[in-house]
């Protein structure tokens, strides 16, 4: 972490502009000069910085280092799986044959890329125990939307358009109810029981002729494996509904449990979490949809199929919900996921879930005497504490998280899931060493001591970052993205 301000970023690029200073040399034109457009289309007052190339490079490099990243710091942001992304994935995605391919190139000239997609469909079907996979969706939430649209199409095709109710647990990621509502479903909340499992009595009450299905996150956002999951699927199926699986956090289950075998009908994966594409800045991502036999005709187009002559083709499933993105999804992300799976192999994938769960439980066990653990049982890939015990001493979960920044750790996810008061959701991921975990645990214990001995120190954190408390809502709603000349 670059502590404090930096000479090279304090002054904005625009403010360093010196008339006549240049950073590029425009080559001599080797094409005939063309007349300029009509003068009314030309601007004379375009404010561009006049700076040298090293100034630009220093400015942006320094700026990039004011931030936290997985490549510089431990990043235990729960539910987001901020793990290390092997650089070889990028190298493969950058191969000219992949990176320079045009999406409208004919199929005969794209066989290698199509084969990669076809193999990836197969790998993901294997991982989830599902029959069909569409790679077209560009994010987890996008996969959810495609998945619930498929559920809607399925019910309509069976003359059951009256199934409009979608039950979603109170611990769900906010995208689940949003996706279901966008697809036209009436969202009803499915409560969790005292152990963090689905409340089966409440599910029985909801399971009627108007139930379209349920959306279940496994493991749940409490980091828990629902011990009744097979029964949940059975109840929903018996009522004629379908079970959607939010598989964004599949690093907990890889090689050990398959959603299809547990009874899920349709699910999405987040390749940019589990299958290692850098993410967090808003994209690009990939949220492939995997489904059971009964739903394959509805998958989003296009998919890749192989004909008897060995050629690969783009195909539209029989009753497809249609195209949901341009072309074939985010190819670069898909190439990274393919590389990741091939380099690890089956045994490597299995060790991901083993280490992810071991690391989270190591933290759970090391901190549960000083941070309140609302669901006191073994967790999966993440552990959700509550800062209630620190709150009693006047220090909130947010302030504990902010204080972590002073020690060089990214904050955990805070105040989510909503059903845990003062939630601190910690996901160490499988890629961190025990040395890092121990350093984090020590720091969490130090912050707890500070909450008793010097609460103001924690309440006013962070003290060492380039900027301290930000107006996050303001930054999201009224972003200031454009430089204006003062005055
Ligand atoms: C990250 C996440 C999502 C949403 O994924 P995006 O790619 O950000 O749209 C949905 N559900 C869960 C449980 C997640 O962790």
């Amino acid at each position: 972490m670059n502590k404090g301000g930096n000479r090279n970023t304090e002054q904005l690029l625009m403010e360093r502009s010196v008339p006549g200073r240049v950073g590029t040399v425009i080559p001599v034109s080797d094409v005939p000069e063309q007349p300029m457009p009509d003068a009314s289309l030309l601007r004379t007052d375009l404010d561009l910085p006049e700076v040298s190339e090293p100034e630009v490079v220093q400015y942006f490099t320094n700026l990039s280092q004011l931030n936290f990243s997985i490549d510089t710091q431990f990043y235990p942001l729960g539910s987001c799986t901020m793990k290390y992304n092997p650089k070889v994935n990028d190298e493969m995605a950058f191969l000219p044959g992949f990176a320079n391919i045009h999406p409208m190139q004919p199929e005969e000239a794209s066989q290698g890329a199509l084969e990669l997609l076809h193999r990836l469909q197969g790998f993901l079907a294997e991982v989830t125990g599902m029959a069909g996979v569409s790679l077209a969706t560009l994010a987890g939430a996008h996969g959810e939307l495609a998945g619930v649209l498929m559920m809607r199409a399925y019910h309509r095709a069976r003359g059951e358009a009256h199934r409009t109710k979608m039950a979603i647990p109170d611990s769900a990621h906010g995208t689940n109810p949003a996706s279901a509502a966008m697809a036209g479903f009436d969202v009803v909340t499915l409560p969790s029981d005292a152990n963090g499992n689905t409340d089966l009595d409440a599910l029985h009450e909801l399971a009627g002729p108007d139930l379209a299905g349920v959306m279940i996150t496994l493991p749940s956002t409490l980091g828990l494996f629902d011990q009744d999951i097979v029964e949940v699927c059975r109840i929903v199926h018996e009522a004629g509904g379908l079970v959607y699986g939010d598989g964004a956090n599949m690093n907990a289950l890889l090689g050990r449990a398959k959603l299809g075998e547990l009874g899920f009908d349709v699910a999405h994966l987040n390749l940019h979490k589990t299958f290692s594409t850098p993410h967090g800045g808003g994209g690009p991502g990939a949220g492939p949809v995997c489904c059971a036999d009964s739903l394959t005709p509805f998958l989003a187009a296009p998919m890749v199929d192989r004909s008897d002559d060995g050629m690969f083709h783009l195909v539209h499933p029989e009753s497809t919900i249609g195209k949901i993105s341009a072309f074939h999804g985010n190819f670069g992300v898909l190439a990274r996921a393919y590389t990741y799976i091939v380099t690890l192999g089956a045994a490597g994938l299995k060790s991901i879930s083993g280490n992810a769960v071991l690391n989270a439980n190591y933290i759970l066990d090391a901190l549960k005497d000083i941070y309140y653990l609302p669901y006191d049982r073994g967790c999966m890939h993440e552990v959700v504490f509550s800062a209630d015990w620190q709150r009693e001493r006047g220090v909130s979960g947010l302030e504990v998280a902010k204080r972590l920044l002073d020690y060089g750790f990214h904050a955990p996810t805070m105040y989510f899931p909503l059903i845990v008061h003062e939630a601190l959701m910690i996901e160490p991921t499988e890629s961190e060493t025990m040395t890092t975990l121990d350093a984090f645990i020590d720091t969490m214990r130090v912050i707890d001591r500070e909450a008793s001995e010097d609460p103001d120190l924690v309440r006013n954190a962070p003290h060492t970052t380039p900027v301290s408390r930000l107006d996050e809502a303001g930054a999201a709603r009224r972003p200031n993205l454009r430089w204006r000349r003062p005055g």
Side-chain angles (χ1 to χ4, degrees), residues 163-310:
R163 292 189 177 271
T164 55
K165 205 161 71 184
M166 188 72 82
I168 302 181
D170 51 9
S171 59
H173 197 270
T175 50
N176 287 195
S179 300
M182 268 182 90
F185 288 106
D186 303 320
V187 175
V188 285
T189 302
L190 188 55
S192 309
D193 68 14
N195 294 319
N197 294 326
T198 304
D199 185 327
L200 293 180
D201 292 335
L203 180 61
H204 272 297
E205 270 178 38
L206 290 171
D210 60 345
L211 185 71
V214 298
M215 292 180 86
I216 302 276
T217 306
L218 193 74
S220 73
T221 61
L222 294 165
L224 301 175
F225 189 92
D226 192 320
Q227 291 147 320
D228 302 319
I229 193 63
V230 173
E231 180 63 4
V232 167
C233 295
R234 198 193 60 74
I235 295 169
V236 174
H237 289 152
E238 202 174 72
L242 295 169
V243 185
Y244 184 92
D246 181 331
N249 304 128
M250 200 47 54
N251 59 334
L253 303 182
L254 278 180
R256 289 165 208 272
K258 299 187 180 188
L259 295 182
E261 289 173 3
L262 294 171
F264 286 82
D265 300 289
V266 51
H268 79 269
L269 300 172
N270 273 37
L271 298 192
H272 48 291
K273 289 177 181 170
T274 310
F275 296 96
S276 132
T277 278
H279 69 284
V289 179
C290 313
C291 69
D293 246 340
S294 53
L295 284 161
T296 50
F298 305 102
L299 277 164
M303 290 172 51
V304 182
D305 204 3
R306 183 178 208 167
S307 52
D308 292 341
D309 60 2

